[in-house]
Amino acid sequence: REGSQRRGLGMCHLQRRYKKDVLPCPEGPVPTVSITEIRQYLRAQGIPFHDGYSCLHTPSLFTDAREDQPPAATNPPYTLFIDKTTGSFLCTATLAEGTWQDFQANVELQHRGVPPASSEEDTQQAREDARCIWDRALPLWELLDEDETNNTKAMFGISLVTDTTLKRFGVRYLRTAKSLVFPWFSPRDATLKGLKLVRVEKKGDAIAYVEETLPRFDSYRNLFGLPLIGRRDTELVLTGWELDALALHQATGVASLALPRGATCLPPALLPYLEQFKRITLWLGEDLRSWEAAKLFARKLSLKRCSLVRPGDLQPRPLEALNQGLNLTKILRAALPASHKSIVSFRQLREEVFGELVNTEQVAGIKWARFPELNKLLKGHRRGELTIFTGPTGSGKTTFISECALDLCMQGVCTLWGSFEINNIRLAKIMLTQFAAQRLEDQLELYDEWADRFEDLPLYFMTFHGQQNIKTVIDTMQHAVYMYDITHVVVDNLQFMMGHEHLSVDRIAVQDYIVGAFRKFATDNTCHITLVIHPRKEDDEKELQTASIFGSAKASQEADNVLILQDRKLVTGPGKRYLQVAKNRFDGDVGVFPLEFSKASLTFSSFGKSKARLKKMKEEKALLAKKAPEGGLGAAKKAPEGDSGTSKKP
């Protein structure tokens, strides 16, 4: 039965929409629109509107006059929301949605007397798969006996969550997959649109929660708990996890919603559903990463109505607070306002400073899983920093930085690639090979499996190639930060982006301006930028230094980190490569460590080599098993030994 459930998920994969992971080129058919232009158009068309926090509210074009509406229809309900930043719209009454250009087209059709078409897509297969799983799942209080119910609750840490709360939110349990099932009901007609399945995996003493969704993550936009929100509710708590929403509502009685992808992103398509609230408190988790995400999301939601719960020992995530017997209402009342004045005193910074002293590991940033030596020097990957990366031509700068970025992306860091030197297809092929840590050319039957997993990463590409104007690039990055909550941008590389248009002017001055623009963007948007710059032409026998970076000293001065890929050329064979951390503004630690390139997996880390060795060992043991006498004692003993620890699929 578990197998059939997994096959159901697979069926949904076949029906998925193609993921829009390539940002539209500004020269393409989707021009940007300003809030001023939107207001002028609405006034010119005689469409009434009023300002919301992040959207403009207008009467819907997609709803006809209904019998249940009051006779005086002079004040129609404002159920259509237009995003102030992008111009995209959503009608909460019919779920019709589209771009600003789609909205204008529908207005023109209405003037001609043509009814607008609904924009809801056909996701019938995903809904059928979700319905199949939902019907097989059971409410926790309807399991075979009380012991099974208690053991299941204990496994997920929800022993204190009552059956009444679980029933109110419609939580079920799929016994065959040992997963909690959270429903996604349509806010329009309460039909089942999708599901999220959460299961527990134990890794030693640590417990990890693994999530799967129907439809896939890029199409799963469920604000869990939305059907329980009343029209008169004006206060809301946004959480990063469904179980946190259960704990919060049970302990405080306040309206609570869970974001579909936790602290990873807040899709702009969800903003219209949050317009009715005058106060929103963000309590996303218990680590510094969720705190940074909360500050980023507050900008989208309007700072003046947002408050943030700062993570700490006495303010863990809501479910943990419930289990520890803490007063959740008191924690909510102590939430900090998201907005602040331009000048502050130390008294206002005191808690922030204390938080950084307590959480030194988290302040250091996200650790690389594939490059432990880099963690020892840089301590981690931090938002709001500018990293300059350089190295000799042909040394593997793009290959190395793509693995570094992939490592972080696999840990949930939303990443935007601007590859101006090589095209996106070639870059994606390199990253997919690094992701699988093997040559897929030799095993094409595994391509779909790895491609499906790779597609779920929060990874996006700019469609630029070659010379581009810096303003166009910055505008695209700004769009990506708003739409996809990008926290890491890779620009490869500066010289190709500049092109040859500045040959007649001072190229050094132009480069300084571009570096300054990236520095400002990183600071203003709390986003890490990795900028690849070619070095000056120097003697191959000499090692590169910070002064070797092309241009003036501004690049190295503005940078928080300077990384140099050194390549020692040897007469007898390929050179030895190592990475040098030449600048580290965070704590000053600098140094070098060796790198060894694996051509099969295109990796510089030990991750690729260890997987290659493991694969070779499995092939050798399989060969020995074939050579051993069939049914022999030696073969019988060796089989489990060869399989131990390698039975899991990569």
Side-chain angles (χ1 to χ4, degrees), residues 442-461:
D442 304 330
Q443 304 179 75
L444 291 177
E445 69 278 2
L446 297 178
Y447 176 77
D448 283 333
E449 178 188 345
W450 282 107
D452 279 347
R453 292 168 64 179
F454 188 73
E455 191 176 325
D456 280 336
L457 295 177
L459 177 64
Y460 304 88
F461 302 90

Side-chain angles (χ1 to χ4, degrees), residues 64-102:
D64 298 324
R66 297 179 183 173
E67 295 179 3
D68 58 349
Q69 288 180 347
T74 54
N75 295 316
Y78 283 48
T79 58
L80 191 138
F81 299 85
I82 302 173
D83 191 298
K84 291 182 181 180
T85 304
T86 64
S88 58
F89 72 89
L90 169 69
C91 172
T92 55
T94 63
L95 302 186
E97 60 180 331
T99 64
W100 173 243
Q101 288 69 35
D102 295 332

Side-chain angles (χ1 to χ4, degrees), residues 203-265:
K203 299 177 180 177
D205 295 333
I207 293 177
Y209 293 89
V210 181
E211 299 179 348
E212 291 181 80
T213 63
L214 275 172
R216 292 172 69 99
F217 270 123
D218 54 309
S219 302
Y220 184 79
R221 298 187 298 195
N222 177 26
L223 276 171
F224 179 71
L226 187 61
L228 303 178
I229 300 294
R231 290 185 178 181
R232 295 184 179 180
D233 288 332
T234 57
E235 294 192 5
L236 171 74
V237 181
L238 271 182
T239 70
W241 197 29
E242 288 77 5
L243 295 181
D244 285 337
L246 299 179
L248 255 172
H249 181 78
Q250 177 177 306
T252 65
V254 299
S256 307
L257 297 178
L259 295 174
R261 299 191 66 177
T264 304
C265 68

Side-chain angles (χ1 to χ4, degrees), residues 10 85 97 133 201 234 258 260 368 473 511 598 620 641 649:
T85 304
E97 60 180 331
I133 295 173
E201 279 192 2
T234 57
W368 284 272
V473 175
Q511 179 176 315
S598 169
E620 288 175 353
E641 184 184 338
K649 288 186 179 180

Side-chain angles (χ1 to χ4, degrees), residues 296-419:
L296 189 66
F297 295 169
R299 293 184 186 180
K300 284 188 183 181
L301 294 165
S302 177
L303 291 171
K304 63 184 179 182
R305 64 166 172 164
C306 290
S307 299
L308 314 176
V309 174
R310 182 174 182 84
D313 291 338
L314 298 178
Q315 295 186 167
R317 65 183 322 128
L319 180 61
E320 188 62 28
L322 178 70
N323 290 335
Q324 291 180 20
L326 300 176
N327 189 330
L328 276 73
T329 303
K330 187 177 178 181
I331 294 175
L332 286 177
R333 285 176 183 163
L336 305 170
S339 58
H340 58 79
K341 296 178 182 178
S342 299
I343 300 175
V344 295
S345 65
F346 177 72
R347 185 177 181 182
Q348 292 161 288
L349 299 174
R350 181 171 176 156
E351 288 302 314
E352 295 263 0
V353 174
F354 180 73
E356 295 214 352
L357 293 173
V358 171
N359 303 297
T360 51
E361 281 298 307
Q362 294 179 27
V363 170
I366 298 167
K367 305 292 186 286
W368 284 272
R370 298 189 178 200
F371 298 96
E373 295 294 330
L374 193 54
N375 292 329
K376 292 178 183 178
L377 296 173
L378 286 183
K379 306 302 181 290
H381 173 88
R382 293 167 290 277
R383 292 186 181 188
E385 291 190 350
L386 173 65
T387 295
I388 300 294
F389 180 59
T390 190
T393 303
S395 59
K397 291 190 296 296
T398 300
T399 306
F400 174 80
I401 211 66
S402 70
E403 186 180 8
C404 264
L406 176 66
D407 185 341
L408 297 166
C409 191
M410 290 169 66
Q411 299 180 62
V413 176
C414 297
T415 305
L416 174 66
W417 255 94
S419 179

Side-chain angles (χ1 to χ4, degrees), residues 30 83 114 157 166 314 420 426 496 516 527 546 567 589 635-637:
V30 186
D83 191 298
V114 181
L166 293 169
L314 298 178
F420 299 89
R426 186 177 163 197
F496 267 79
C527 178
T546 304
D567 189 7
D589 283 356
K637 283 183 179 179

Side-chain angles (χ1 to χ4, degrees), residues 12 89 526 586:
C12 173
F89 72 89
T526 324
F586 179 70

